[in-house]
Amino acid sequence: GQQLNQSPQSMFIQEGEDVSMNCTSSSIFNTWLWYKQDPGEGPVLLIALYKAGELTSNGRLTAQFGITRKDSFLNISASIPSDVGIYFCAGQVFGNEKLTFGTGTRLTIIP
Amino acid sequence: EAGVVQSPRYKIIEKKQPVAFWCNPISGHNTLYWYLQNLGQGPELLIRYENEEAVDDSQLPKDRFSAERLKGVDSTLKIQPAELGDSAVYLCASSLGAGGNNEQFFGPGTRLTVL
């Protein structure tokens, strides 16, 4: 099935650094979502975006809904050890409950 | 409040054997989803239920996969017979459904290994 393109595929950073990742699609979505998945667990919703151009924050996390509706960005400021995990974007169109997920960005913090 | 419950958490079977996964959604959630997550990829929807009705099963390989949600609460996903390529994590999620907050809450998944 279709998977959205996420970049980078993996990141190795030091604690305290800021992180940026993005997600792109060939088609338009009306809603963009960002999830985090820890090992052995299901994805957990971090941020939901409902309007093109919208910028939304959740603590140290900030996400943006791209103007073209075909992309979204997630930033994490001042990373901490518990930020380690895999981050997935997901897109959704009006009238359809189906989520189309990205390929994921794996975040690792180097001691 | 209890989250989405799935069992078993891990299952190892030989190819051609049948296998079943069980999911109990969050109480009051009318919509239930089964997703397949291959290693290194994001989840992909297999089937979505609104109460007991399967409203989107277009991605479910119907030759070997089946699902049911007879009373509109818990659900079972079955594979018969299993193939090597079915090794993956099977995630269940639930949401309030139409007219409510559609945020999907995921269970921990069942990791299937087919030998």
Side-chain angles (χ1 to χ4, degrees):
Chain A
Q2 178 191 7
Q3 295 255 304
L4 307 179
N5 296 315
Q6 283 189 245
S7 177
Q9 188 174 16
S10 60
M11 303 182 72
F12 297 85
I13 63 169
Q14 291 188 323
E15 183 177 351
E17 287 187 27
D18 296 342
V19 171
S20 292
M21 61 188 77
N22 67 71
C23 182
T24 60
S25 168
S26 58
S27 56
I28 291 173
F29 289 105
N30 303 113
T31 299
W32 282 95
L33 306 162
W34 284 92
Y35 287 82
K36 178 175 182 278
Q37 186 172 27
D38 292 327
E41 300 296 331
V44 175
L45 182 64
L46 300 173
I47 292 181
L49 302 156
Y50 301 103
K51 187 177 179 181
E54 178 182 357
L55 188 70
T56 297
S57 294
N58 178 8
R60 294 176 298 104
L61 277 62
T62 302
Q64 184 162 22
F65 192 138
I67 289 292
T68 65
R69 298 180 182 268
K70 293 183 178 181
D71 56 9
S72 181
F73 309 88
L74 177 69
N75 295 314
I76 306 173
S77 62
S79 58
I80 60 177
S82 62
D83 292 334
V84 167
I86 303 177
Y87 291 80
F88 289 101
C89 63
Q92 193 174 35
V93 296
F94 281 147
N96 191 338
E97 299 282 335
K98 176 183 176 180
L99 295 178
T100 300
F101 280 85
T103 49
T105 293
R106 180 182 295 273
L107 180 63
T108 302
I109 294 183
I110 305 169
Chain B
E1 179 181 333
V4 177
V5 178
Q6 291 189 247
S7 70
R9 291 294 309 274
Y10 305 91
K11 188 73 176 179
I12 301 174
I13 62 172
E14 293 188 343
K15 63 181 180 182
K16 300 185 182 180
Q17 295 300 306
V19 65
F21 315 124
W22 178 79
C23 172
N24 193 34
I26 293 172
S27 177
H29 280 196
N30 297 319
T31 306
L32 183 147
Y33 313 77
W34 283 103
Y35 286 88
L36 164 70
Q37 186 173 25
N38 287 307
L39 186 65
Q41 296 186 23
E44 297 179 61
L45 181 68
L46 289 173
I47 189 169
R48 174 169 67 94
Y49 281 94
E50 293 287 346
N51 298 302
E52 66 275 8
E53 182 182 0
V55 295
D56 182 358
D57 62 355
S58 57
Q59 302 300 314
L60 190 73
K62 298 180 181 63
D63 56 336
R64 297 183 300 108
F65 286 65
S66 64
E68 60 183 17
R69 192 185 185 200
L70 295 176
K71 296 183 179 179
V73 180
D74 57 344
S75 175
T76 302
L77 178 68
K78 299 178 181 177
I79 309 175
Q80 182 171 12
E83 297 179 352
L84 293 177
D86 296 331
S87 295
V89 175
Y90 292 82
L91 294 164
C92 179
S94 70
S95 67
L96 281 172
N101 184 336
N102 288 330
E103 178 182 348
Q104 296 183 26
F105 295 84
F106 285 82
T110 296
R111 181 176 295 276
L112 173 67
T113 301
V114 182
L115 303 176

